[in-house]
Amino acid sequence: MDKKFKVAVIGATGAVGQVFMWMLADHPWFEVSFATASAARAGLGYASTTHWVLPMEMPEQIKNIEIKEFNIEAMKEAGVQIVFSALPAEVAREAEPQLRASGFYVFSNAAAMRYDSNVPILIPETNLEQLDLIKEQGYPNTGFVVTNANCVTTGLAMALAPLRKFGIKNIMLNSYQSVSGAGYPGLSSFDITDNCIPFIKGEEEKIEKEIKKILSISPEVYAYTVRVPVMFGHLESVWLDLEQDTEIEDVIQAWADFKEVQDLPSTPCQPVEYGSDNTFPQPKYAFWGNPKGMVVYTGRLKKKNGKIGFLLMVNNIVKGAAGGSIQNAEAFVERFGLRK
């Protein structure tokens, strides 16, 4: 690509915003031209005002980017075409429709517009065809919003997409979710240290609703979500009732055959990787893979009384959040032939 798309990151200093900035620092298609945070940070350099929480060094390319206030006209003057939103849902609910109306292509991590009928909940490996919903929003004559899924749903959808051919009747899910999923500054240490919190507001309902829309299936979904004292990576325990009599070997082969089918910079060659060791997967593997954090890992596969069970681990702030949004933008550029 001879010329990169100029992009904005809205909410650049939070945990998800940091992943956006990290992954975009040396992206082959996109260049950060505008980054926003709270008004109190406006005018400051990114490194000087960001409490960096990621387990790698802040890239040199982003350290001196000036933080600006949210301003649609200023983004237009900067030549921004694509906006990555790491806004809280209540702020996104007001800002993202404004951005769309102003002609921007918005790729959002927020849930504010996720359930609008003409807004895709996109995971490129599983439901690329839903990108065509942007035409119902008015593209190419207007802007649009594309959302990624809830972080738990993302990992679940990736593991289930290759298994749709077996017929998914029921899904039973328990999730063990890291504290970074609560955002920064997140939970009080008094609440989470040496503790697990067996309720995450709205999470179970999101999973039940989103998995059906993403995979175009209609199973019964039974979910419990638990916050655990781990920094990164959501672990999920899954049991499935399948229409077909399916063996363990069939599931392993389905995951192995689930290969990259798109020429996207942020898509792993093997999006779902199975490990046979009984201690696999674990949240400490959250930033494994290439690109880092974009692989969903599965393990502990078993069959009992006709049900298929397994564990999966997804990086909640990379594949399950910012990385997923970047991948969605790549899919848009590729699908609509915009590479220059």
Side-chain angles (χ1 to χ4, degrees):
M1 182 175 279
D2 296 329
K3 187 177 180 182
K4 293 184 179 182
F5 288 89
K6 292 185 176 181
V7 306
V9 178
I10 310 300
T13 58
V16 173
Q18 290 177 33
V19 177
F20 275 125
M21 298 293 284
W22 164 62
M23 294 187 69
L24 293 168
D26 194 28
H27 195 282
W29 298 2
F30 305 138
E31 177 183 22
V32 178
S33 298
F34 205 93
T36 79
S38 62
R41 290 187 162 107
L44 299 176
Y46 187 74
S48 67
T49 191
T50 301
H51 178 71
W52 190 252
V53 298
L54 302 186
M56 69 283 291
E57 292 292 324
M58 181 185 291
E60 289 293 328
Q61 302 97 307
I62 65 174
K63 287 183 176 179
N64 295 320
I65 291 178
E66 182 183 338
I67 295 295
K68 299 177 182 177
E69 291 189 66
F70 179 83
N71 185 302
I72 286 176
E73 291 306 314
M75 281 191 280
K76 287 182 178 179
E77 291 173 6
V80 169
Q81 296 172 282
I82 291 172
V83 176
F84 292 109
S85 171
L87 295 173
E90 62 275 11
V91 180
R93 192 169 288 111
E94 179 178 350
E96 290 177 2
Q98 293 177 11
L99 290 164
R100 177 174 64 181
S102 298
F104 293 105
Y105 308 149
V106 182
F107 294 87
S108 174
N109 181 65
M113 301 182 69
R114 196 177 282 164
Y115 309 120
D116 292 3
S117 61
N118 62 357
V119 173
I121 306 178
L122 186 65
I123 304 175
E125 298 96 330
T126 73
N127 63 343
L128 186 61
E129 70 284 350
Q130 287 198 20
L131 248 181
D132 290 341
L133 286 173
I134 65 175
K135 297 175 184 177
E136 297 183 16
Q137 298 181 55
Y139 177 81
N141 298 318
T142 66
F144 61 79
V145 175
V146 171
T147 68
N148 53 322
N150 165 275
C151 43
V152 173
T153 312
T154 297
L156 181 64
M158 289 291 293
L160 295 190
L163 310 184
R164 280 181 288 190
K165 61 186 178 182
F166 304 126
I168 301 171
K169 295 192 298 183
N170 296 307
I171 303 169
M172 288 147 279
L173 169 80
N174 295 310
S175 69
Y176 311 94
Q177 300 182 216
S178 63
V179 294
S180 57
Y184 181 80
L187 302 170
S188 165
S189 62
F190 286 99
D191 292 328
I192 195 63
T193 301
D194 295 327
N195 193 27
C196 296
I197 301 173
F199 174 71
I200 303 173
K201 186 177 180 180
E203 199 83 346
E204 292 155 13
E205 293 81 4
K206 289 177 185 176
I207 296 164
E208 293 169 6
K209 183 182 298 185
E210 292 174 19
I211 196 65
K212 297 177 183 181
K213 181 175 179 179
I214 293 166
L215 296 183
S216 298
I217 57 177
S218 54
E220 292 295 328
V221 182
Y222 307 91
Y224 276 117
T225 57
V226 181
R227 188 75 69 193
V228 298
V230 170
M231 188 62 178
F232 302 107
H234 290 354
L235 193 66
E236 303 176 33
S237 167
V238 182
W239 281 99
L240 303 175
D241 282 319
L242 302 175
E243 293 175 359
Q244 298 182 24
D245 185 18
T246 306
E247 300 299 329
I248 286 175
E249 293 76 16
D250 299 326
V251 175
I252 294 173
Q253 190 62 53
W255 285 332
D257 292 341
F258 191 49
K259 302 283 188 180
E260 177 187 5
V261 293
Q262 305 156 72
D263 184 21
L264 306 181
S266 298
T267 302
C269 292
Q270 186 68 60
V272 178
E273 292 190 19
Y274 173 73
S276 58
D277 189 297
N278 279 335
T279 65
F280 188 87
Q282 299 176 24
K284 72 176 182 179
Y285 309 141
F287 285 91
W288 279 22
N290 183 23
K292 292 181 184 298
M294 291 297 289
V295 176
V296 172
Y297 293 104
T298 58
R300 296 294 315 280
L301 184 62
K302 60 175 72 174
K303 182 178 181 180
K304 186 173 182 179
N305 296 330
K307 297 183 187 332
I308 293 291
F310 59 90
L311 294 181
L312 72 88
M313 195 283 301
V314 59
N315 187 311
N316 54 294
I317 61 172
V318 182
K319 177 60 178 175
S325 287
I326 292 171
Q327 189 185 27
N328 288 347
E330 295 167 356
F332 159 69
V333 169
E334 185 70 15
R335 187 170 177 86
F336 288 90
L338 302 183
R339 291 177 64 182
K340 301 173 184 177

